[in-house]
Amino acid sequence: MTETPARPAAAPPTTPIAAEDPAATPTPPADRSTRRALLVACGAAFVAFLDLSVVNIAFPAIARDYPDTSPATLTWVVSGYAVAFAALLTPAGRLADTLGRGRVFLAALAGFALTSLLCALAPGADWLITGRFLQGATAAFLIPAGLGLVLSATPTERIGVAMAAWTAAGGFAATVGPAVGGALVDWFGWRSVFVINVPIAAVLIGFGLALTRNEVRHADGLPDLFGTAATGLGIGAVVAAVTQGQPWGWDNWRTLACGLGGLVLLGIALWRSRRHPRPAIAVTLWRSHRYALVNAVAFVFGAAMFAWLLAGPLWLADIWQYSILKSAGFMTIGAIASMVTAVLAGRASENAQHWVGVLGALMFAASTFYMSTDAFGHTPNLWTAWVPASLLGGGGVGIVITVLGTAAARSLPPQRFAAGVGMNLTARQSGGALGVAVLAAVFAAHPHDGLAAFHILFAICAVIALAAATLAALPARTEETNL
């Protein structure tokens, strides 16, 4: 995250791209098909990112409906989605190129609708968690296939405009997510946050059917399926060890087996990815020291951010006893702050963005440290506690995510831009899954003292954010690497 030579402008931070840059594919002039591809892809990005934020708002209501399921187990409703998404994002982009982006995109949309319906109809927590794993998997295919459609259908001179519109759809979803989720849960129950995906997906499929005509495929072969499975199982096993460590016991054979087994699987996935022509993890990108550092920051900061985003609705509902709708309204403060600072950070000069990113991580650390103090107690304290903490925390998130996305793109040659930003998102999602596991472990260790659990969790988030700020401040080698 240090100063870099000038490169083409990078996409904003919420651009999760896994497919390779389609520059080699001829792009047609702007016409109705171009606008259709952009509309459908933006709609899919909106619904996929909306699902991330609305589930956090719905989580307290889900926990009340499944009182016999431990909170640690229920956190898989959030982390299961993140694990599947992170594991499949890179191979999903390659598979979309091989089978056809339009076909994969429409199949993923249909799968997203079906898995959403499975979540909505889940008779028990196990079914819901399974549905969320599957939903995360289909979302991983939606993102690179949809973006690939946009890039391949858009004339070169208009790609920047198309990328801005596509990214704005994801950012808008994150901003309105708390309000939309709160309204749905309050009026119709938590199952409605999944049901709403079905008609939206059906409409998008109807508009997108024409996108498969005359589609160009790239016969590069299938991605490394064994490496993909090892990646997903490895991440999941490590998260399981942290999540269940307190209930099982940290020295229990199951905890040790999950932790060590997960690390071994991830080691195998990395080993294969260094040798496979179509790897599950784009490890060759890490030859750039600067890019590897950006991914390390994304992983570390993602852990604190995901834990904070889930803890917020739980705090408002469990400690301050707010309704779902009221909780959603106050969660929107941080979301709006994030949107504003993301725009401001995006306008910072390339030389200044490095230190702007460090500032964002420090802002987030200050917010979470403040939330770990007695200023946050059982008595609601909105104007002197929640509002400033939300502005600091949300503002810090907007800055860091923007700077990371931009730095990831600028750290690599233009032809590797797409894979690079996608890998950066994978690192963030992996860290996020681990962060949610830490939340589960902290709450499992303090089952009868929720206030203490929250204070400990927020203190841990502050320490993690400081670690991210320290990593972000490190100088990176400036040598150019052939990627």
Side-chain angles (χ1 to χ4, degrees), residues 13-14 45-54 56-57 166-183 308-309 325 327-343 394-395 397-398 401-402:
T14 54
F46 177 85
V47 72
F49 286 110
L50 183 70
D51 223 57
L52 289 172
S53 54
V54 297
N56 285 338
I57 290 295
W166 189 88
T167 302
F172 182 64
T175 303
V176 304
V180 171
W308 182 72
L309 289 173
L325 197 58
S327 297
F330 287 110
M331 286 298 296
T332 304
I333 296 173
I336 293 175
S338 177
M339 180 180 65
V340 172
T341 57
V343 173
V397 166
I401 299 307
T402 300

Side-chain angles (χ1 to χ4, degrees), residues 95-184:
L95 194 63
D97 287 342
T98 301
L99 302 181
R101 293 163 182 164
R103 292 175 177 83
V104 170
F105 179 75
L106 293 180
L109 263 178
F112 192 80
L114 290 174
T115 53
S116 296
L117 191 60
L118 174 61
C119 293
L121 299 177
D126 291 345
W127 282 93
L128 178 59
I129 292 170
T130 300
R132 285 289 286 169
F133 268 101
L134 296 174
Q135 194 183 35
T138 57
F141 281 86
L142 265 183
I143 299 305
L147 186 59
L149 283 174
V150 172
L151 294 177
S152 61
T154 304
T156 303
E157 67 275 9
R158 293 188 59 82
I159 282 180
V161 176
M163 289 295 298
W166 189 88
T167 302
F172 182 64
T175 303
V176 304
V180 171
L184 287 173

